[in-house]
Amino acid sequence: MPDVGDLVTARLAIEPADETTTAVLLVTRPDGTTDTPVVTATEGGAVWTAPVVYTLAGIWLLRWTVVGTGASVETETVAVAPAPATMADVRSYATTTELAVFLHAAPPLDSVKLLERATELLDSDFLKAALYDTDTDGMPTDPVVQAAFAEAVCAQVEFWGEVGEETDIAGPLQGVTIGSVNLQFGAGDNRSSPDYYAPKLVRAIQNVPADKLRWLASSGGS
């Protein structure tokens, strides 16, 4: 799978082909714009190539139109991945270095994405009911809270490594108690249980002193 920025040579083999064979390539980008790159014939018109620069992430459509001998229309869809994200590109409570230290091992190659998603999970499923000191970007400023949040998201990434990130579709938090506060986001038999979350994540949040991580009086719903 190509990444954004890759230059790839599109190739079409035609059988049969002769001197009357010609081909044109129409490239449709994910945003709907099009391009007709210069094509080159080799092997007596049996093979045609064209340079394609993938400038956008998404699905690209390559449509070859052949006239003359071997006349046909050939299409190909190409999935283009975005450029890999760096820690500077995402909101995360932990870095890949902190994750490596937590795991006592090299972190997975998609650690940036996983840490971002674990941070989103912590924000949406736990911290809606929490009060703590933050900077202008909403990141915790107290070192104890920073360390706890980092441990929590690293624990969730470790948990996903064991059970699979696909468990993230299970549903919102239901039935976790932190101090005197019962977090109950969601209801119904089809909701997830607390086991959906890494046990170490819950413990990391539970262990933050009450004067540093405060909870609203009402923190749940049915």
Side-chain angles (χ1 to χ4, degrees):
M1 177 187 298
D3 296 327
V4 166
D6 284 352
L7 169 62
V8 176
T9 300
R11 184 179 185 277
L12 176 69
I14 304 171
E15 177 65 36
D18 58 25
E19 66 279 359
T20 69
T21 303
T22 60
V24 175
L25 176 61
L26 176 67
V27 176
T28 302
R29 304 181 184 93
D31 62 1
T33 60
T34 60
D35 185 30
T36 52
V38 175
V39 297
T40 302
T42 60
E43 300 182 26
V47 176
W48 293 75
T49 59
V52 178
V53 180
Y54 292 115
T55 56
L56 297 172
I59 303 299
W60 290 60
L61 178 66
L62 279 56
R63 181 183 179 92
W64 290 93
T65 300
V66 180
V67 298
T69 300
S72 64
V73 175
E74 305 292 337
T75 60
E76 177 186 6
T77 55
V78 179
V80 177
T86 67
M87 292 307 305
D89 300 323
V90 304
R91 172 185 169 84
S92 174
Y93 291 129
T95 66
T96 55
T97 299
E98 290 172 311
L99 178 59
V101 172
F102 181 90
L103 298 174
H104 299 289
L109 292 177
D110 58 349
S111 291
V112 173
K113 178 196 74 172
L114 293 173
L115 286 169
E116 179 185 30
R117 292 184 177 175
T119 297
E120 292 171 351
L121 180 148
L122 189 62
D123 283 339
S124 64
D125 288 15
F126 285 82
L127 299 181
K128 285 181 179 179
L131 295 174
Y132 50 95
D133 295 334
T134 66
D135 59 19
T136 56
D137 295 323
M139 300 297 284
T141 55
D142 188 287
V144 173
V145 179
Q146 290 173 345
F149 287 8
E151 180 182 351
V153 296
C154 288
Q156 189 64 33
V157 171
E158 179 186 46
F159 183 72
W160 281 333
E162 295 295 328
V163 303
E165 189 189 357
E166 62 272 10
T167 59
D168 197 21
I169 66 174
L173 176 67
Q174 182 182 10
V176 169
T177 299
I178 299 177
S180 61
V181 177
N182 180 29
L183 302 179
Q184 189 81 19
F185 301 123
D189 294 338
N190 62 338
R191 296 298 191 183
S192 62
S193 73
D195 290 340
Y196 155 67
Y197 303 94
K200 292 179 184 177
L201 177 151
V202 176
R203 289 198 296 271
I205 301 303
Q206 288 174 329
N207 290 337
V208 180
D211 62 329
K212 296 181 181 294
L213 185 62
R214 303 170 296 280
W215 299 91
L216 300 176
S218 176
S219 59
S222 58

